[in-house]
Each structure stands twice: as structure tokens, then as C-alpha cells.
């Protein structure tokens, strides 16, 4: 059974600080996604990582993928309050040419304090 | 541009009552469609997905069923709700064709179901 584990599960950090969220998964895959969820809301796509060594950056967030280590990271630079949300990674285990089958991690609840 | 709509947004139902949640996608054809459930404080669990009209794949045996009567319509149903059916239900779509196929899912706004 595929396991997708995130750590930490909860992160409280001050504005201006840097931190990294880790996503480990237990099966071979080269397609990994990061989503953001605000309280009571749906999921918003942040990053799509489709190969080993892929790195994507948007604003204060940067995501990377190491398929050999089965590890993805979401790095937060100089956090601001607006980044407070729950962040999910998801791994696609579907065969090429078929419908996506995303397995989501447990989520990391990020709270940025002033 | 593509949009996805779910309704109702909020639903409170008694145990044993039926359920119907609807999802429609606009601005695209032949999408793959998905139903996920998020229990309170938990991650997302894939319930059903569909690659075409009338084609439903179930991921988890449960008290729910899904149907796809039209290309861009996906319905989640139950004949008799259980307490454990409470949760946040999310419909999503992904492009079936086109290059590149990233596998990325695009989610609707969700339907929050409380079974009492």
C-alpha cells in the first residue's frame, strides 16, 4: 500500500523565517504535486513536479523532487502571514496514458505568526 | 477557461436518508472526473474516478456510488447515509488528452456533508 508521509504535521513559524516541509512516499513515481488548502476551502494547485530533479518556484515557495530518494520538499522563504494554510503533497501512481490516481499526504498545517 | 462547479455547498442530512451531490465541468471536453472525500482534520481519499460516460471505477468499498450520465457531469449518491459518511466531498477533473499530460487535478469548491 502506498504511503505518503509529510512532516511536520503542524508548523508554527514567525514571519520572516525560513522552513522546509518534507514529503516522503513509498513507491516509484515521477509525478508529484503540491496543493494548498485554506480553512473550509477547496484545494488550490501550487506545483507540478514531473521528473527527478525538478524544481519549481513561485513567490516565497519553492518545491523540489528527488525520485531516487522518494522525497519532495516545499521550502518557505521569509514567511508571511498570508502563507498560513494547510499544504498537501500528492503522488500519482497511475500508468502513463490512464487517469491520474493521486494519493495525498496527511497535510502540513502552517501557521505564520506576526 | 475551464471551471468546475459542485452543489450543494453544504448539506445536513439524517442517518438513513439518501444523498445526491452533483459536479459539472465547463470549458473542456472528455475530462477525467474524480470524487475525493476529506474527513475532519484528515487527508483526502479517492472514492471514484471516471474516464468517460458510464465508466466508473471505485477505489474504496463503501456506502456510496457514482454515476456519469453526461460527459461533463459526475454525481455521487447514497441510498442510506451513515454517520461515517460525514465529510468534505471534493470533485476534481483532469484533462484526458493533450500534450503534455501532467496528471494535475483541478478541484471544485467542495460539498460539506454532515450526517446526524
Amino acid at each position: 500500500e502506498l504511503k505518503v508521509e509529510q512532516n511536520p504535521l503542524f508548523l508554527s513559524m514567525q514571519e520572516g523565517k525560513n522552513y522546509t516541509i518534507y514529503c516522503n512516499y513509498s513507491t516509484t513515481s515521477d509525478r508529484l504535486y503540491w496543493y494548498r488548502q485554506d480553512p473550509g476551502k477547496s484545494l488550490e494547485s501550487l506545483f507540478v513536479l514531473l521528473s527527478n530533479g525538478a524544481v519549481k518556484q513561485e513567490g516565497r515557495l519553492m518545491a523540489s523532487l528527488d525520485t531516487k530518494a522518494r522525497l519532495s520538499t516545499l521550502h518557505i522563504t521569509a514567511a508571511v502571514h498570508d502563507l498560513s494554510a494547510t499544504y498537501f503533497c500528492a503522488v500519482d501512481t497511475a500508468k502513463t496514458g490512464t487517469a491520474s490516481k493521486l494519493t495525498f499526504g496527511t497535510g502540513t498545517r502552517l501557521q505564520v505568526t506576526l | 477557461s475551464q471551471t468546475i462547479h459542485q452543489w450543494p455547498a453544504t448539506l445536513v442530512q439524517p442517518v438513513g436518508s439518501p444523498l445526491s451531490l452533483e459536479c459539472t465541468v465547463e470549458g473542456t471536453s472528455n475530462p477525467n472526473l474524480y470524487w475525493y472525500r476529506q474527513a475532519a482534520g484528515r487527508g483526502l481519499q479517492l472514492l471514484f474516478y471516471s474516464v468517460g460516460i458510464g465508466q466508473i471505477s471505485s477505489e474504496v468499498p463503501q456506502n456510496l456510488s457514482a454515476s456519469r450520465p453526461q460527459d461533463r457531469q459526475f454525481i455521487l449518491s447514497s441510498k442510506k447515509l451513515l454517520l461515517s459518511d460525514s465529510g468534505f466531498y471534493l470533485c476534481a477533473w483532469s484533462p484526458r488528452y493533450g500534450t503534455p499530460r501532467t496528471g494535475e487535478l483541478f478541484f471544485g469548491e467542495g460539498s460539506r456533508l454532515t450526517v446526524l
Side-chain angles (χ1 to χ4, degrees), chain A residues 33 35 37 42 45 98 100 102, chain B residues 36 38 101-105 108:
Chain A
Y33 312 85
Y35 287 86
Q37 185 178 37
S42 184
S45 180
T98 64
S100 304
L102 267 59
Chain B
Y36 278 83
Q38 185 178 32
R101 282 188 63 247
T102 68
E104 184 181 11
L105 298 189

Side-chain angles (χ1 to χ4, degrees), chain A residues 13 17-19 21 60-61 74-79 83 110:
Chain A
M13 57 190 299
K17 298 294 186 181
N18 304 332
Y19 208 83
I21 298 171
R60 301 174 187 274
L61 300 177
L74 181 66
H75 186 72
I76 303 154
T77 302
L83 290 179
L110 172 65

Side-chain angles (χ1 to χ4, degrees), chain B residues 34-107:
Chain B
Y34 309 82
W35 279 110
Y36 278 83
R37 176 171 61 198
Q38 185 178 32
R42 304 280 296 276
L44 281 80
Q45 180 184 38
L46 177 61
L47 302 177
F48 302 95
Y49 67 93
S50 171
V51 299
I53 296 173
Q55 300 180 62
I56 307 296
S57 296
S58 174
E59 288 295 297
V60 182
Q62 59 211 315
N63 186 40
L64 302 168
S65 62
S67 63
R68 184 169 177 175
Q70 299 180 44
D71 180 48
R72 290 172 290 175
Q73 183 183 27
F74 207 20
I75 298 172
L76 185 69
S77 303
S78 173
K79 292 182 179 179
K80 290 185 178 181
L81 285 169
L82 305 172
L83 287 174
S84 57
D85 291 325
S86 293
F88 192 41
Y89 289 82
L90 290 156
C91 182
W93 75 276
S94 69
R96 193 188 312 174
Y97 303 117
T99 303
R101 282 188 63 247
T102 68
E104 184 181 11
L105 298 189
F106 302 94
F107 286 86

Side-chain angles (χ1 to χ4, degrees), chain A residues 26-62:
Chain A
S26 63
T27 193
T28 301
S29 175
D30 57 3
R31 295 189 299 279
L32 189 136
Y33 312 85
W34 283 95
Y35 287 86
R36 168 181 171 146
Q37 185 178 37
D38 292 305
K41 303 295 185 181
S42 184
L43 274 73
E44 173 192 357
S45 180
L46 293 176
F47 298 108
V48 177
L49 303 169
L50 299 178
S51 61
N52 185 40
V55 177
K56 296 281 184 72
Q57 183 165 4
E58 180 71 34
R60 301 174 187 274
L61 300 177
M62 183 173 69

Side-chain angles (χ1 to χ4, degrees), chain B residues 2-5 23-28 31 33 72-73 91-93:
Chain B
Q2 300 86 7
T3 56
I4 179 169
H5 302 284
C23 170
T24 59
V25 180
E26 296 177 357
T28 187
L33 296 172
R72 290 172 290 175
Q73 183 183 27
C91 182
W93 75 276

